[in-house]
Amino acid sequence: MSRPRSWATRALVCVAVGFCAFGGCIQVKPGEGQVAAVTTVAPAPTAAVTGDRQILHALSRLTYGPRPGDAERVRALGVSAWIDRQLRPRTIDDSATERALAELTTLRMPIPELLREYPRPDPRLRAQIANGEMSRQEMLERYPIEKRPVRIADELRAAKVLRAVTTERQLEEIMVEFWFNHFNVFAGKGDVRWYVSAYEREAIRPYAMGKFPDLVRATAHHPAMLFYLDNWLSAKPDYRIQAGPNRGRPAGLNENYARELMELHTLGVDGGYTQKDVTEVARAFTGWTIDRPRTDAHFIFRPGMHDTGEKIVLGHRIPGGGGRDDGERVIELLTRQPATARFVATKLARRFVSDTPPPALVARVAGSYLNTGGDISSMLRTIFESPEFMSEDAYRAKIKKPFEFVASAVRALGGTTDAQGAMALARASAEIGEPLYQAQPPTGYADRGEVWVNAGALLARMNFALGLASGRYPKVSVELPALVAGADPRSPEAVLDRLLMTLVADQAGSRTRAVLAAQLNGPQITRLSPDDRGPANTDVAKLAALVIGSPEFQRR
Amino acid sequence: MMTRRTLLKAGGCALVAYAGAPRFLVRTARAAEPSGKVLVAVFQRGAVDGLSMVMPHGDPAYAGVRPSIALQPPRRGESERAVDLDGFFALHPALVPLVPLWERRALAVVHACGSPDTTRSHFDAQDYMESGTPGVKSTQDGWLARAIGGRAAKATPLRAVAIGPALPRTLHGDVGALSMQSLDRFDVRAGADTTARQGFEALYEQGVRDLLHGTGRETFDAVKMLKSVRASRIAPANGAEYPRAPFGEALRQIAQLVKADVGLEVAFADMQGWDTHVGQGAERGQLALRLRGFGAALAAFAQDLGDKMADVVVLTMSEFGRTVAENGNRGTDHGHATAMLVMGGGVRGGRVYGRWPGLDRSQLFEGRDLAVTTDFRSLFSEVATRHLGVPAAPLFPGFRSTQPPLGILA
């Protein structure tokens, strides 16, 4: 299964090309594991992906996996026209998805309503249960599960699965996931419980295909981020808290947001900032806080908490007295740094091309960032139109994350689901290693295959495949007969060929084909048809499970 | 219960009689029997505040810079307070289940321990501590994997196991390390139908490196071995009670692997939630709650293993420590050195190791953090070489300790 990788060597040459193409304005650092030697001779460029493989490749990168019939639809439209449509999601009708989401009522609720409708547990209730004054049953009646705040994240998880499986705006959905992960908040941390769905709806989704600096601004102002990275509490030294339960207590600087803003949101860890910059940025953001976090939770700037002194960030002077604008200026400064362009470009190229993205491509994507003020569609377009994207080196080079695997399996089997089924699928993603909205560290989830592959997770993938194909997920229906429609049901080999073509197209290796063909001879895999007329009726579910659990299907 | 060893004792005939014996059994019969030592690495992700975990009450600067989160100095007979260790350091009161281990000299502390790299990035610092190469991101494998790589090959698929959803960086490498969320669910679950497992086994028989860090054969051998010894059914012994939380569950299952005698050599578990930027608390509060779960799980593990603990060493680590002074929100920000624990057989416990750099502002690293006086590689190297009997050189490439050994293991 291992594929020859030539990025590392080609990269060195490509760096030089990248420099020329952009007038040397973008500094490309050698990536991980590369030595900055320049003596390598250029190897022949790898072959371009051609023909129907282009369709499969585009579908595997711009969607959560092809459904039966998707390849034909892309072929009819033409690959580049289809990509172009995906880059303009507003032009795609998606009313079916909206209807499917309707029953998830918390998705549309503003934070104050969520705080009101799903109140935090009354500590007295807990005490009454502890000392036996109230039975579990009574508690469930007084405080039913569907009225608890956990419902908010549960519905958000279900929505994520439903959208990934159903939406026609696949690329946009991938970008929503990408940016949420980039600006990660953990749904289990304190009040983020109530803020997390609004965070995705208000700070991520509207800008997912827009301008990167808008994402930084929107997340910086959102109560979910302010809470998660503690900036809402950060204040000038020796500040005294004015209101609330901690009134009169001293407060002061908190570096958490400032550091992650530079390390994870903008410049990247090697982006050239110092501990001094962290402290200065933290000072700039003092006073950016949450107004009435337990009833309203709006962004507010509190001048009393703000450190009014001068700040020096990355050598740039921010004069004292700027107030709220200090933070805005820091965002402005950080989002126009070449380091930020490079960092964002690297992550995008890693998502869409390969775990070790070609530096020359990264340089061109970073160039798009700098030329367009961080326009996300432009950066994506640069990637999709690049030879590096449509190259055999990139073809099937990515390992699906657990969530991508789950969604792609449902889609491959022509599956449909409702909110309840989607929650079960979200739990499956957790079982395979990726519990949704549950990444505790600000880094979010990794986008490199090596992080997700291991023995336990692989067995979990196989078990999910078996459960899904055999209909063990209630409310998730899969269309097995349609997968093999047209194949002669009396010929197990014909059924297998059709199934492999539908699920993994041209990808089935000879080994996988041989293993599956051998299965056809097993006593349990070919069942007599009910009327006992035909020679054999192939157990399509079992074969489908084996294909979904096969090495080939773990790639995109 | 038939363990691997009883099978071996039964001799070759038993193996022949055991029709369709998994491959590992056949191979084991020919392999030399290794020592049975186990190293358990525990990662406190998020940077634990070493100054609270093991408080330096003897340092005059301690209380002053931590007005709301400093622990009260220990006082005899007051169980709410930290427990004095040696007149200078004290154990956080939430770690009281570990005190008997300290008194039995089965627990040692290394303080002011950390990385020579100055990064305050969680991600990078964890990466460096797991690869064992501070400042070098290109290292492919982890130091714990290299530690087993230095031992004689052993025909068991369960030499190196991490309990958790992912294989940690420190076990990346050519040693076939496995990770699993639960021993119980580590199987193909297809009911009575065995063809599904056979099918998957055949599909992954060949090496699929980038999908598995190894071969499918190792995985399915491990599945069979765990089933044959019924590892997940082994109950905690000696009245040990693990906290019902992921970290407690992880240690409970590592103990099952040790007791099932499957040839385990290194194990890994981690615990999150140490990044206490706000409302860290002192004797009580957020950090105390985390430490309570941490200490209770470690103590239960030692109790559960009982005499078997003689062959086991547990080494705890965290990517860096936290600021000496509390921040503006009664929490602490990212710092430098922290404290690490070493527990188990052969540990010269009941002592705090390492040179104390002091908490006076002039003594701090960059004027704010506890300075590192013991490079984590010195500690890890000493533990791995002494306990597992592996050569030091390949463990931490490019590193040669300039200090005399700590002498933490007998």
Side-chain angles (χ1 to χ4, degrees):
Chain A
M1 287 302 297
S2 75
R3 318 154 52 84
R5 288 275 180 276
S6 55
W7 290 132
T9 41
R10 290 205 304 137
L12 302 168
V13 181
C14 296
V15 170
V17 177
F19 270 113
C20 305
F22 289 92
C25 61
I26 300 147
Q27 289 262 314
V28 180
K29 276 191 170 180
E32 294 180 16
Q34 289 160 13
V35 188
V38 286
T39 49
T40 328
V41 183
T46 53
V49 174
T50 53
D52 274 5
R53 285 157 74 85
Q54 288 196 344
I55 296 172
L56 296 169
H57 186 57
L59 277 167
S60 78
R61 298 301 167 90
L62 277 72
T63 77
Y64 284 100
R67 294 166 298 186
D70 274 354
E72 289 72 20
R73 282 185 281 274
V74 176
R75 189 180 300 119
L77 203 60
V79 177
S80 45
W82 177 80
I83 290 177
D84 194 59
R85 248 164 75 84
Q86 286 295 322
L87 282 166
R88 292 180 292 114
R90 295 299 129 218
T91 64
I92 306 172
D93 175 59
D94 205 27
S95 43
T97 310
E98 290 310 311
R99 280 195 299 277
L101 294 172
E103 60 178 302
L104 299 168
T105 50
T106 62
L107 278 192
R108 292 170 298 277
M109 286 186 191
I111 295 173
E113 189 179 351
L114 291 168
L115 287 161
R116 206 166 52 240
E117 293 296 316
Y118 303 96
R120 61 194 73 227
D122 185 340
R124 280 172 305 184
L125 270 183
R126 207 165 282 176
Q128 282 174 314
I129 295 158
N131 61 27
E133 281 173 38
M134 189 188 283
S135 71
R136 247 196 108 63
Q137 191 53 42
E138 274 178 277
M139 184 207 52
L140 282 172
E141 279 162 25
R142 289 264 305 273
Y143 193 53
I145 288 171
E146 64 272 16
K147 290 300 283 180
R148 294 183 198 179
V150 67
R151 176 168 170 185
I152 300 164
D154 276 346
E155 291 203 349
L156 187 60
R157 282 181 199 110
K160 187 183 183 75
V161 173
L162 268 176
R163 284 182 158 125
V165 169
T166 310
T167 185
E168 299 296 328
R169 299 170 180 175
Q170 285 279 306
L171 178 60
E172 182 185 43
E173 214 46 50
I174 283 170
M175 293 316 296
V176 169
E177 182 187 359
F178 179 88
W179 294 123
F180 190 106
N181 194 59
H182 182 89
F183 298 97
N184 182 52
V185 302
F186 169 44
K189 178 171 173 174
D191 293 359
V192 177
R193 244 170 280 270
W194 287 272
Y195 306 159
V196 65
S197 56
Y199 179 69
E200 183 171 294
R201 185 182 67 225
E202 297 163 355
I204 304 290
R205 187 171 292 280
Y207 312 103
M209 304 281 269
K211 299 269 187 192
F212 179 79
D214 288 340
L215 276 167
V216 181
R217 266 188 287 276
T219 54
H221 287 88
H222 203 277
M225 183 60 79
L226 289 164
F227 192 97
Y228 174 61
L229 289 180
D230 306 317
N231 198 77
W232 73 296
L233 296 167
S234 185
K236 68 183 179 187
D238 305 323
Y239 173 71
R240 295 257 158 202
I241 296 166
Q242 302 295 305
N246 294 320
R247 196 185 156 159
R249 292 181 102 150
L253 203 63
N254 191 306
E255 294 176 356
N256 201 8
Y257 177 67
R259 180 183 307 282
E260 308 304 7
L261 172 66
M262 289 191 280
E263 176 185 332
L264 299 174
H265 298 173
T266 58
L267 302 172
V269 71
D270 300 318
Y273 59 92
T274 63
Q275 173 58 41
K276 179 79 178 142
D277 288 319
V278 172
T279 312
E280 296 287 285
V281 169
R283 290 177 58 227
F285 280 101
T286 47
W288 285 45
T289 186
I290 308 171
D291 187 26
R292 287 164 293 171
R294 298 204 160 177
T295 53
D296 264 19
H298 285 109
F299 171 84
I300 190 170
F301 176 72
R302 293 201 189 282
M305 291 171 79
H306 184 67
D307 180 334
T308 55
E310 170 188 278
K311 292 106 192 167
I312 309 279
V313 178
L314 305 177
H316 294 259
R317 185 169 158 271
I318 299 175
R324 169 182 169 163
D325 281 351
D326 284 3
E328 310 282 4
R329 292 188 62 171
V330 167
I331 292 173
E332 212 277 313
L333 175 69
L334 293 177
T335 53
R336 67 174 144 86
Q337 297 301 310
T340 297
R342 198 160 54 229
F343 181 59
V344 171
T346 304
K347 283 188 81 168
L348 284 170
R350 185 176 293 133
R351 169 62 182 76
F352 289 102
V353 181
S354 81
D355 285 3
T356 47
L361 174 65
V362 170
R364 295 204 303 281
V365 178
S368 296
Y369 180 110
L370 293 173
N371 291 336
T372 62
D375 185 66
I376 295 161
S377 296
S378 300
M379 288 188 278
L380 291 176
R381 204 175 283 279
T382 303
I383 292 174
F384 301 148
E385 290 172 358
S386 72
E388 290 91 338
F389 175 74
M390 273 297 174
S391 80
E392 287 293 337
D393 268 359
Y395 193 66
R396 309 298 278 188
K398 290 286 290 187
I399 308 272
K400 293 169 184 170
K401 290 191 303 145
F403 176 64
E404 290 168 349
F405 166 71
V406 168
S408 70
V410 177
R411 286 171 62 83
L413 297 184
T416 51
T417 184
D418 63 3
Q420 211 186 325
M423 282 186 202
L425 293 169
R427 284 192 291 276
S429 176
E431 182 110 327
I432 304 170
E434 190 182 359
L436 307 177
Y437 302 100
Q438 295 276 64
Q440 190 166 330
T443 340
Y445 287 125
D447 188 19
R448 284 170 297 118
E450 60 176 22
V451 175
W452 298 107
V453 297
N454 62 74
L458 191 62
L459 288 170
R461 287 182 188 223
M462 295 172 193
N463 286 322
F464 172 72
L466 285 166
L468 181 69
S470 59
R472 263 186 273 149
Y473 283 87
K475 309 286 185 183
V476 184
S477 58
V478 292
E479 292 294 326
L480 295 177
L483 296 179
V484 293
D488 181 354
R490 288 167 305 178
S491 161
E493 284 77 15
V495 171
L496 175 58
D497 282 346
R498 175 56 55 92
L499 192 66
L500 284 171
M501 183 47 78
T502 317
L503 295 181
V504 287
D506 63 340
Q507 282 306 294
S510 56
R511 175 167 188 86
T512 292
R513 188 175 289 274
V515 166
L516 291 167
Q519 289 277 321
L520 296 172
N521 302 322
Q524 293 176 68
I525 201 99
T526 38
R527 287 190 296 215
L528 287 181
S529 56
D531 59 4
D532 208 21
R533 260 186 320 169
N537 188 5
T538 308
D539 189 343
V540 177
K542 170 94 55 70
L543 288 178
L546 287 169
V547 178
I548 299 288
S550 72
E552 287 86 341
F553 195 79
Q554 309 315 308
R555 303 177 167 285
R556 61 170 170 87
Chain B
M1 188 182 69
M2 184 160 250
T3 67
R4 186 172 54 89
R5 288 212 175 120
T6 52
L7 259 173
L8 285 171
K9 280 179 196 151
C13 296
L15 282 173
V16 174
Y18 190 67
R23 273 176 294 270
F24 67 85
L25 288 175
V26 182
R27 280 187 276 141
T28 307
R30 294 192 221 104
E33 198 56 18
S35 71
K37 299 279 187 195
V38 180
L39 173 60
V40 181
V42 167
F43 211 114
Q44 294 173 283
R45 296 198 190 276
V48 69
D49 182 33
L51 296 176
S52 291
M53 191 164 79
V54 181
M55 76 170 292
H57 64 88
D59 194 301
Y62 170 76
V65 290
R66 298 188 152 209
S68 75
I69 61 165
L71 301 175
Q72 295 290 310
R75 193 181 291 161
R76 205 170 277 281
E78 288 203 33
S79 61
E80 298 282 293
R81 291 202 180 192
V83 183
D84 184 49
L85 295 177
D86 60 0
F88 188 88
F89 293 104
L91 209 53
H92 191 285
L95 294 177
V96 91
L98 295 178
V99 170
L101 288 154
W102 175 268
E103 288 170 346
R104 288 209 311 271
R105 301 186 180 279
L107 173 70
V109 175
V110 184
H111 221 315
C113 188
S115 174
D117 193 90
T118 62
T119 183
R120 290 186 182 87
S121 151
H122 291 299
F123 185 82
D124 276 5
Q126 288 180 25
D127 193 68
Y128 295 154
M129 196 162 276
E130 293 192 63
S131 71
T133 56
V136 180
K137 292 187 179 178
S138 56
T139 311
Q140 295 295 314
D141 53 2
W143 75 267
L144 203 53
R146 292 195 295 274
I148 329 183
R151 307 192 87 195
K154 199 169 152 188
T156 168
L158 292 157
R159 295 180 79 185
V161 176
I163 304 292
L167 188 69
R169 177 82 165 84
T170 194
L171 281 174
H172 285 196
D174 282 326
V175 293
L178 303 177
S179 80
M180 51 191 84
Q181 301 209 54
S182 111
L183 302 190
D184 196 31
R185 279 175 288 148
F186 190 75
D187 194 2
V188 173
R189 296 194 299 277
D193 180 359
T194 54
T195 59
R197 192 209 276 164
Q198 287 160 7
F200 283 128
E201 196 170 348
L203 283 172
Y204 285 91
E205 173 113 45
Q206 304 284 303
V208 259
R209 283 222 59 77
D210 52 353
L211 281 171
L212 208 53
H213 296 289
T215 66
R217 178 180 293 194
E218 284 159 349
T219 299
F220 285 100
D221 280 356
V223 166
K224 286 168 206 161
M225 188 179 231
L226 286 177
K227 268 183 109 69
S228 73
V229 299
R230 296 168 176 272
S232 68
R233 306 277 181 83
I234 302 172
N238 309 317
E241 284 186 40
Y242 289 91
R244 288 190 178 280
F247 181 61
E249 279 298 293
L251 287 191
R252 184 179 66 79
Q253 297 184 87
I254 291 171
Q256 287 176 326
L257 290 173
V258 173
K259 292 191 286 185
D261 207 9
V262 292
L264 184 72
E265 293 171 70
V266 300
F268 180 93
D270 59 13
M271 181 170 173
Q272 302 201 50
W274 302 101
D275 198 16
T276 48
H277 284 277
V278 169
Q280 175 172 307
E283 281 81 3
R284 288 153 186 256
Q286 190 195 156
L287 178 60
L289 210 62
R290 301 305 290 169
L291 286 171
R292 197 174 306 284
F294 180 70
L298 288 172
F301 181 75
Q303 187 167 355
D304 184 4
L305 286 183
D307 292 345
K308 275 186 181 287
M309 201 63 196
D311 286 331
V312 177
V313 167
V314 180
L315 168 67
T316 79
M317 62 200 72
S318 193
E319 66 266 34
F320 41 71
R322 310 195 67 82
T323 46
V324 169
E326 75 179 63
N327 67 11
N329 306 125
R330 289 171 289 136
T332 45
D333 291 322
H334 300 183
H336 199 40
T338 188
M340 300 186 183
L341 310 180
V342 187
M343 173 180 106
V347 175
R348 288 188 171 130
R351 261 188 71 185
V352 178
Y353 290 82
R355 186 176 66 76
W356 185 244
L359 295 180
D360 186 83
R361 201 182 155 83
S362 64
Q363 297 165 317
L364 299 182
F365 172 71
E366 294 184 351
R368 56 179 257 159
D369 301 330
L370 183 64
V372 171
T373 57
T374 300
D375 189 315
F376 77 87
R377 294 170 296 180
S378 298
L379 170 63
F380 294 7
S381 173
E382 197 171 319
V383 169
T385 54
R386 304 279 309 178
H387 185 63
L388 296 177
V390 294
L395 281 179
F396 299 102
F399 173 65
R400 274 186 64 190
S401 183
T402 52
Q403 299 164 312
L406 297 165
I408 202 163
L409 288 182

